[in-house]
Amino acid sequence: QAPVYAYNGKDFLHAGGTTNEQHRGGDRGGRRTEVTRFSKYDKLREVPHRDPERAARGIKTKVGNEVIWKGAYHESDGTGLGGLAVASDAVLVGFSVENNDHWRAAKEMPHRLRTFDFETGKKRQDDLALPAKPILHGVSAGAGRVFVVCEDGSIVCFGQ
């Protein structure tokens, strides 16, 4: 239910969508501008149903993962998600601020790369500016560097 995924061992992350069913990777709901980290179970587990009335009747739901943390990469659903990557202990999200309600943020830095701590989900530093909107799946990492491919054809490299 999300356009971008990233993996790190048995854990995976997704951004840019909401999830509909627990067994498909989520907890029903959430914002489209959240990054969510999940830990995948080795096999499905039964848990009480999410609906309190059904749970009271003993109805259970099978789940294949657990939500570890959620972090908002922007305050509004009016963003253009570009990409998601995991680099060692960092989660990287490239996006553009496109919602007219956030005109000041869009004017100051319309295209951004945001970093989160992989373990805690806390924002690590101030956003890094990008020259244009990152393309979908346009964020990658390797050899101690982060690469972002933008819609204007530029490739930006962060790192040593």
Side-chain angles (χ1 to χ4, degrees), residues 20-21 35-36 39 55-56 64 81 84 137 144 158:
N20 286 335
E21 299 292 338
V35 175
T36 306
S39 183
L81 179 64
L84 174 68
H137 307 293
F158 297 100

Side-chain angles (χ1 to χ4, degrees), residues 15 17 25 27 35 40 46 51 66 70 79 83 98 107 125 140 145-147 157:
D27 65 349
V35 175
K40 186 174 182 289
E46 283 193 350
D51 179 350
E66 172 185 13
K70 291 183 179 189
T79 61
E98 298 175 341
K107 185 177 178 183
Q125 63 189 40
S140 62
R145 296 186 175 123
V146 176
F147 301 91
C157 176

Side-chain angles (χ1 to χ4, degrees), residues 7-65:
Y7 296 87
N8 187 3
K10 282 179 51 175
D11 289 3
F12 64 100
L13 298 105
H14 82 123
T18 59
T19 54
N20 286 335
E21 299 292 338
Q22 289 181 330
H23 68 277
R24 293 187 181 170
D27 65 349
R28 279 190 187 265
R31 294 176 39 201
R32 291 183 350 184
T33 54
E34 284 182 326
V35 175
T36 306
R37 177 183 166 200
F38 301 93
S39 183
K40 186 174 182 289
Y41 297 146
D42 292 331
K43 54 186 172 181
L44 292 176
R45 296 182 187 178
E46 283 193 350
V47 298
H49 198 280
R50 182 174 161 67
D51 179 350
E53 291 179 17
R54 291 181 182 181
R57 293 190 315 234
I59 298 174
K60 298 192 179 235
T61 301
K62 291 185 178 180
V63 297
N65 59 62

Side-chain angles (χ1 to χ4, degrees), residues 136-157:
L136 189 60
H137 307 293
V139 178
S140 62
R145 296 186 175 123
V146 176
F147 301 91
V148 182
V149 180
C150 299
E151 286 186 350
D152 68 352
S154 63
I155 300 173
V156 181
C157 176

